[in-house]
Amino acid sequence: MKITIGLGRGEITDWDEVSTYVIEAEKLGVDCLWTAEAWAHDVVTPLAYLAAKTEKIKLGTSIMQLGTRTPALVAMTAMALDSMSNGRFRLGLGSSGPQVIEGWHGIPFARPIARTREVIEIVKRIFNGETLTYQGKFYELPLLTNATGEGKALRPGASPPKNVPIYIASLGPKNLHMTGEIADGWLGTSFIPEHADLFIDPIREGAQSVGRSIDDLDLQAGGTIWFTEDVDEAITTLKSGLAFSIGAMGSRQHNFYNDAYRRQGFADEARDVQRLWLAGEHDEARSRVPDEMVSGSNLIGDKQMIRERLRMYRDAGITSFRANPHGNNLNERLEALGKFMDIVIEISTEKS
């Protein structure tokens, strides 16, 4: 099992600390760093900054929001990052949701799965160095409809990359199925290993439908790593972020995190948390998050407890675990990450 880390979707104010964190994580053997975008920083610029400060750690977008860039710009950005990092870039894509796509970017959130498929098909053609033509529901290249008619089918001006793996962040069954069909990896969230089949079975079915094996994909999920003797305190603290995800990260009609937890046996609880959050009763919403939802989505406790939980992810089929080490400062986070990497080494020789 590989270990990855990520930068959050919020504002970054201390870039020196971020670079130190990533450089030290690289020394510890972390496989990949993933950046995020919501409505603070973009997902790409931090990777360009960190590519210049690192040598081995892979660098990925988790996620680059679909619809906010043309497919050609997605491919051009990926090729530039892959070139400047000497082949370390991973392209993670996702549809986000209507609150961000329509509210922040002013772009219709329509048929996200179909749009994802078209973007990836176009990006792959560019990666292959093809002269670009495409006819789809969303994209027409060259553009002839409501256009000057002067567009030209072009070949990419940069050399094709040797290998840029494409990951999809997906949660719903149809999106998971498509991930198995066309992606090189899965970026999973809201994942409890006891219910792994709800996520992994559709990916496997999608892969098999096109003659692939699920072993062809890197399956990634993870959570907070919190070494503590006071599990109850940690759970209470982590409820706040989980309540925000299932209560605020989406509308009443579209909250993919909420839907994922409903499918994993928390239908009533997820519905209550969302209702309370949208009504402005945030403290009550946090209190309604079940302890089992928090403990199932994260690795909390002493070394033995965290070791056992990590084994469950491994045995469920997760091939990359994204670790968010808990700590009150950089040194504490790095210490937690180092302890976790020791556990990973211990179980890496075990048979699942």
Side-chain angles (χ1 to χ4, degrees), residues 197-210:
D197 56 318
L198 295 173
F199 301 89
I200 294 178
D201 284 355
I203 297 175
R204 179 181 292 106
E205 291 164 5
Q208 292 174 344
S209 72
V210 294

Side-chain angles (χ1 to χ4, degrees), residues 106-178:
I107 300 167
F109 186 78
R111 300 182 63 191
I113 297 175
R115 183 188 292 274
T116 300
R117 186 183 294 274
E118 289 195 12
V119 169
I120 291 176
E121 287 176 351
I122 295 168
V123 166
K124 287 183 175 181
R125 293 186 186 188
I126 296 173
F127 284 174
N128 290 334
E130 300 177 21
T131 299
L132 187 57
T133 61
Y134 190 85
Q135 294 293 321
K137 297 290 185 182
F138 294 95
Y139 300 102
E140 178 187 18
L141 299 166
L143 182 64
L144 299 175
T145 305
N146 298 321
T148 65
E150 299 174 23
K152 183 178 180 180
L154 300 172
R155 293 185 63 187
S159 300
K162 291 182 179 179
N163 178 39
V164 175
I166 298 176
Y167 288 69
I168 298 177
S170 50
L171 288 172
K174 292 182 180 178
N175 208 357
L176 290 164
H177 190 282
M178 182 183 65

